[in-house]
Amino acid sequence: MKIGYLTQARPEMLARIPGEIPHVVAYAGPDGVYAPDMLARLADVDAFMVAAEPVNAQLLAACPKVKIVQRMGVGYNTLDLPAIAQRGIPACNVAGVNKEAVAEHAMALILALAKQLPAADRLTRECRWPEARLLTQRSFELLGKTLGIIGLGATGTELARRAQAFGMRILYNDIRTIDPALVEELGAQFLEKDALIAQADILSIHTDLNPTSRGLLDAGRIERMKRGAFLVCCARGGIVDEQALCRALESGHLAGAGMDVYAVEPPPPGHPLLRAPNILCTSHTAGVNPETSARAFALALDNVRAVVERDEQPRWTLNAHSSSGE
Amino acid sequence: MKIAFLAKARPDLAALIPKGLAHVILQAGPGGVWDDAARDAVADVDAFVVSMEPVNAQILAAAPRLKIVQRLGVGYETLDLAALAERGIPACNIEGVNKEAVAEHGMTLILALAKQLLEADRSTRSGRWLDARLLTQRTWELKGKTLGIFGLGNTGSELAKRARAFGMSVVYNDIRAIDPTRVQRLGARYLEKDALLATADIVSLNVDLNETSRHLINAAALKRMQPHALLVCCARGGVLDERALRHALEAGWIAGAGIDVFETEPILPDNPLLGAPNTVLTSHVAGVTDETTRRIFDWALDNVRTVLERGEKPRWVRNGVH
């Protein structure tokens, strides 16, 4: 078995690759196109293990032996699923592997916004005590507030569990039907998107990026959010209209936002979102920490072995493939 | 009924005082000394409602009609309990009014430290994406970690409840015996102090400040903690030794600290925690939110009315006067 790791050659990624398995590392250019030398080195691999690199028709055509495309994380918007299905091979992620980490990160953003933490820390360090204390006029308790969750999947559910312990009222929307037993356990209530958006004190996005979620939170919906509400997104860039969000923060319509993902990553220097008032920004790290990443890698590798070495069905298949022998 | 509000200038407080309520707002001078004007102003008041000002023998002597001293908050170390007891005046605090807010603030500090949040935000917003990404090499999941709580009272219990929802184990230490049903409901486990310090990934201080808790966390205690561990304190300044904590952070005995309370408040530029690595500092605001400020005021005023208007016993008496 030989594995093609599709990843930027970052030390922390390379450190995780077990030396005993034959492998190569390759990555696409900034335009998403693989250079000829990259394709050449991948020509005889049996599997792709994918960080954030694209898997497209160009790459697949150059790698005739590939039997599985395996993401080392959860999102899969960089995979061309129809092209992979057409090859008759499975495209897989590691569903749910970082659901707790993402929910924790969303909660960290929510709490830091609610408590005005960056300003509170800065003013305290500058010994501007009365000003730091006056910030509390804009800080609030989560107790009794309404959290709106769009996308009650793995991470949305984990966030709801945590928010429930804070005494929050939980509203959700999902295009899929959610198990009623789970909804009841979470004390959550279904609302149509627009009603949910209008009622939430805090709105947190937990959908995949797909055609129904792209641009989901557009200018109109941001305007329909409650005045003084907060928006948090640890899902995928492209779901929230960033220009509209900036305007809503600048006008004071929204009291704050916590963003971990962006339409373009890294966001270009001078991106207005990075300088918007009352915003907290992190760099697509919600699901990333050493423990989670190690777990995701181990699960991804085992899934690859299941297909290439053990000839088993893989877990977490994302595409309707029909490989020979099925 | 006339009330003296003993409070530093707080526009938010003035806005909460009901119209028609006879009152004065007074502040102590440097060193907690009350000037003649303040002493004259309390000559006819029936109650003190106290923010952070001292209630000492000096001001008590000037208030012959005083029938109740009511704190606007939980702590009561600024009240001279013995002098009040001698006069037969109940000294009251408010219990449970901000337990959720304090627990929320504790969880905020814990998460901000675990996720390197403030540094991640600074790096991301200044365009240092890769630096921000590399911070994740030092970040954690709370799930599966152990939270050690000193003081499983109101705020400690609320913190435990939230930590459990994050999939954490909770161990606790308390000088009082805690109701076993509550312990069981919280899924908490008792540990001796030293065992708790050695076991916990995160230690949270939720005790009162009293003679048994002063410098509860000193150099020896910090030395027992794990090198990756975090310390959070939203209790009272004086519960931890700030110099020892500064040293522990610099020497790598522990990995980070989130501190809301200081031995001297307001914090002074020479505070040892300013400039210590991996800290998140706030200014004694854990229990203060828009909602709690109003709730504290309403509950405090109601307790005062209980005594002055209804002639009943007040709640939360701290000096044994009944």
Side-chain angles (χ1 to χ4, degrees):
Chain A
M1 179 174 79
K2 184 172 176 183
I3 296 177
Y5 287 98
L6 305 182
T7 172
Q8 299 289 321
R10 295 204 311 268
E12 83 276 14
M13 302 298 292
L14 301 182
R16 229 169 269 134
I17 298 173
E20 70 275 15
I21 303 173
H23 65 270
V24 291
V25 173
Y27 41 90
D31 51 1
V33 175
Y34 289 88
D37 62 317
M38 292 291 172
L39 294 178
R41 80 167 76 151
L42 290 165
D44 62 342
V45 303
D46 299 291
F48 293 144
M49 300 240 318
V50 189
E53 300 301 287
V55 175
N56 48 32
Q58 182 214 14
L59 179 66
L60 291 165
C63 306
K65 290 179 64 184
V66 165
K67 296 168 197 69
I68 176 171
V69 175
Q70 175 67 52
R71 275 272 297 126
M72 296 185 276
V74 179
Y76 49 89
N77 49 297
T78 63
L79 310 184
D80 183 340
L81 296 183
I84 299 167
Q86 207 167 348
R87 270 287 294 278
I89 62 174
C92 305
N93 67 350
V94 197
V97 70
N98 60 10
K99 59 183 179 178
E100 293 94 353
V102 174
E104 289 182 9
H105 197 88
M107 208 60 182
L109 293 173
I110 290 170
L111 280 165
L113 290 166
K115 309 300 177 187
Q116 304 269 344
L117 194 65
D121 176 71
R122 184 170 44 79
L123 292 172
T124 303
R125 279 173 198 287
E126 292 169 1
C127 297
R128 292 157 68 188
W129 187 268
E131 285 164 86
R133 301 263 311 169
L134 281 176
L135 282 177
T136 58
Q137 291 179 13
R138 292 189 283 132
S139 67
F140 66 91
E141 285 177 30
L142 300 193
L143 180 70
K145 297 297 187 301
T146 299
L147 172 65
I149 299 178
I150 299 187
L152 199 65
T155 68
T157 298
E158 291 299 325
L159 178 64
R161 275 189 216 293
R162 286 154 180 78
Q164 198 181 20
F166 281 77
M168 300 188 81
R169 172 179 171 234
I170 296 160
L171 307 175
Y172 80 97
N173 179 277
D174 201 300
I175 53 171
R176 299 156 305 182
T177 304
I178 308 295
D179 174 11
L182 175 65
V183 172
E184 198 190 318
E185 181 200 324
L186 298 171
Q189 184 197 341
F190 176 86
L191 274 191
E192 294 300 336
K193 265 187 208 96
D194 288 328
L196 179 147
I197 285 167
Q199 286 193 27
D201 297 305
I202 297 160
L203 182 63
S204 193
I205 310 290
H206 294 272
T207 62
D208 300 333
L209 181 63
N210 59 47
T212 66
S213 69
R214 186 175 290 279
L216 175 85
L217 218 63
D218 58 13
R221 285 207 168 111
I222 289 176
E223 258 170 48
R224 279 197 292 282
M225 285 178 69
K226 230 174 165 172
R227 188 171 174 82
F230 291 80
L231 173 67
V232 169
C233 184
C234 298
R236 274 290 182 274
I239 299 172
V240 174
D241 179 334
E242 295 177 349
Q243 303 300 327
L245 174 58
C246 277
R247 287 196 299 275
L249 289 167
E250 274 155 17
S251 73
H253 176 63
L254 293 189
M259 300 295 283
D260 186 49
V261 292
Y262 309 88
V264 175
E265 294 179 1
H271 190 301
L273 206 54
L274 303 180
R275 276 187 244 128
N278 297 314
I279 196 164
L280 264 168
C281 295
T282 52
S283 49
H284 203 148
T285 51
V288 188
N289 62 67
E291 298 151 274
T292 308
S293 303
R295 200 161 64 224
F297 183 84
L299 290 168
L301 186 59
D302 186 65
N303 219 30
V304 164
R305 287 192 152 131
V307 170
V308 178
E309 295 182 342
R310 305 198 295 269
D311 200 23
E312 295 167 6
Q313 286 296 315
R315 304 167 72 183
W316 313 298
T317 304
L318 301 163
N319 62 341
H321 69 100
S322 57
S323 63
S324 56
E326 261 182 43
Chain B
M1 174 173 93
K2 184 173 177 186
I3 295 176
F5 291 95
L6 307 185
K8 293 260 189 289
R10 275 180 51 185
D12 57 320
L13 181 66
L16 291 172
I17 298 173
K19 288 210 174 17
L21 179 72
H23 71 274
V24 288
I25 300 179
L26 302 169
Q27 304 170 25
V33 176
W34 294 93
D35 64 18
D36 289 345
R39 289 160 49 83
D40 287 348
V42 299
D44 62 344
V45 306
D46 304 291
F48 289 165
V49 173
V50 188
S51 177
M52 296 300 286
E53 302 295 89
V55 174
N56 50 28
Q58 190 207 8
I59 191 81
L60 287 173
R65 293 183 49 177
L66 195 65
K67 292 170 199 73
I68 175 171
V69 171
Q70 174 67 51
R71 270 276 297 130
L72 280 170
V74 181
Y76 46 87
E77 67 276 5
T78 60
L79 312 183
D80 186 337
L81 298 184
L84 284 163
E86 208 166 304
R87 286 265 302 271
I89 299 169
C92 305
N93 68 344
I94 291 178
E95 298 259 307
V97 74
N98 58 9
K99 58 183 180 177
E100 295 95 351
V102 174
E104 288 185 12
H105 199 86
M107 211 65 200
T108 306
L109 296 176
I110 289 170
L111 280 163
L113 291 165
K115 308 297 178 186
Q116 302 271 337
L117 190 65
L118 298 182
E119 185 58 33
D121 173 61
R122 277 191 292 270
S123 297
T124 305
R125 285 195 296 108
S126 59
R128 292 180 283 122
W129 181 265
L130 207 58
D131 290 345
R133 297 270 309 171
L134 285 174
L135 284 175
T136 61
Q137 292 178 14
R138 293 189 279 135
T139 61
W140 303 3
E141 270 183 27
L142 298 192
K143 192 192 169 176
K145 301 297 188 300
T146 298
L147 173 65
I149 299 177
F150 280 102
L152 200 64
N154 281 318
T155 68
S157 296
E158 291 294 327
L159 182 65
K161 199 197 291 182
R162 286 157 181 77
R164 295 285 292 157
F166 277 78
M168 301 187 79
S169 303
V170 175
V171 295
Y172 79 97
N173 181 276
D174 202 304
I175 52 168
R176 301 157 304 182
I178 305 294
D179 173 10
T181 358
R182 192 206 305 178
V183 173
Q184 194 181 16
R185 196 180 63 237
L186 295 171
R189 186 164 58 93
Y190 177 85
L191 280 183
E192 295 295 336
K193 178 185 172 186
D194 286 353
L196 182 148
L197 290 166
T199 304
D201 300 297
I202 299 164
V203 171
S204 178
L205 307 180
N206 294 83
V207 295
D208 298 334
L209 179 63
N210 54 46
E211 281 325 302
T212 64
S213 68
R214 185 170 295 279
H215 284 198
L216 174 72
I217 300 299
N218 54 17
L222 289 159
K223 197 102 205 224
R224 286 200 177 85
M225 289 174 66
Q226 306 187 69
H228 69 267
L230 305 173
L231 176 68
V232 171
C233 183
C234 298
R236 276 289 183 273
V239 172
L240 62 89
D241 178 340
E242 291 173 353
R243 286 189 186 286
L245 176 56
R246 166 73 180 251
H247 179 74
L249 288 163
E250 284 180 341
W253 294 357
I254 70 170
I259 307 293
D260 184 50
V261 289
F262 304 92
E263 299 203 61
T264 303
E265 295 180 1
I267 196 168
L268 295 173
D270 64 355
N271 187 293
L273 295 178
L274 294 171
N278 293 315
T279 50
V280 178
L281 308 178
T282 54
S283 48
H284 203 149
V285 291
V288 190
T289 64
D290 205 27
E291 296 90 341
T292 49
T293 304
R294 170 164 289 280
R295 210 181 296 143
I296 287 169
F297 187 86
D298 290 348
W299 290 17
L301 201 58
D302 185 64
N303 216 28
V304 167
R305 290 191 200 277
T306 299
V307 171
L308 299 185
E309 295 184 344
R310 300 197 286 274
E312 294 167 8
K313 285 182 178 170
R315 303 170 71 184
W316 311 301
V317 176
R318 295 298 146 215
N319 62 342
V321 174
H322 290 288

